[in-house]
Amino acid sequence: MYQPRVYRHELEADLGALQRFELHAGESDLLVIASRPMEREALEALLKARDEVQSAIERDSKFAQSLAPLPPVPFAPPTVRRMIHAAEQSGTGPMAAVAGSIAQSVGERLAQDCAVVIVENGGDLYLAADCELSVGVFAGGSTLSGKIGLKIEASRLPAGVATSSASVGHSLSQGATDAACVVADDAALADACATALGNMVGDAGEVDAALHKIVGLEGVRGALVIINDKIGALGEIELTHLQGE
């Protein structure tokens, strides 16, 4: 069931000359920020990515249902190939990476013509920019929600950032985190690994082991977990206070 993206209104910012627009297609609800007005190109990329995923589901129903990795699909299109790889790395099913992979597909298309591209799809982000970016962390009812962010230097972009939560949103989580956030080489991997990280943490005592396991995966740069008023972080994670907090 669709849930309004209330966090988008929590973290409003002065975008200057940057363009902001939303895309809607089926279950996909994307926020795009870019240095040029590219709504048509973004929508075309979104529809293409969705078609790639739908075709994979029609060929094999397990692609949509499996909670475990599936074998590689020969000649799979980019969106599907990233999902399969992310599932293999994280130990999840391919659909754990669908939002991030679609964000990646749209973002990579826009990055061909834009110096700054941010694509957000249900809390999963593709980031490409020639400047430093800060990403706010929305953590449901936690006292830390909306107060801290991740600072990512331009030299570390493009990157994927994804957040999973057991207390907010529609994603399946078997853990107890208010936020399980992962920074990775691409958004699909970040998405799947955020899901895996959230599933590993049933209480605060499991945070350290879960962080070490996720950050040890190839392509993962860093991760953090928020449970109530507690936070744990490991790897390439630079925390910052959000403006006004």
Side-chain angles (χ1 to χ4, degrees), residues 162-183:
T163 303
S164 178
S165 175
S167 63
V168 64
H170 60 276
S171 298
L172 175 65
S173 179
Q174 300 170 349
T177 66
D178 289 298
C181 184
V182 172
V183 182

Side-chain angles (χ1 to χ4, degrees), residues 139-195:
S142 168
T143 57
L144 297 172
S145 182
K147 296 181 178 179
I148 63 171
L150 305 179
K151 184 183 295 185
I152 305 178
E153 298 176 358
S155 61
R156 296 179 178 176
L157 297 172
V161 179
T163 303
S164 178
S165 175
S167 63
V168 64
H170 60 276
S171 298
L172 175 65
S173 179
Q174 300 170 349
T177 66
D178 289 298
C181 184
V182 172
V183 182
D185 288 346
D186 69 64
L189 182 60
D191 189 3
C193 287
T195 298

Side-chain angles (χ1 to χ4, degrees), residues 101 114 211 236:
S101 191
C114 294
L211 286 171
E236 296 180 18

Side-chain angles (χ1 to χ4, degrees), residues 56-69:
I57 293 171
E58 291 173 356
R59 285 194 301 270
D60 183 357
S61 62
K62 293 195 294 294
F63 190 81
Q65 299 168 358
S66 179
L67 299 180

Side-chain angles (χ1 to χ4, degrees), residues 7-9 24-25 29 32 38 42 50 103 108 123 153 166 171 173 188 192 198 224 228 233-234 238:
Y7 52 83
R8 291 178 181 170
H9 305 293
H24 304 275
D29 176 1
V32 180
M38 298 187 69
R50 286 181 54 84
E108 287 183 342
E153 298 176 358
S171 298
S173 179
L224 71 84
N228 298 321
L234 186 68
E238 184 177 357

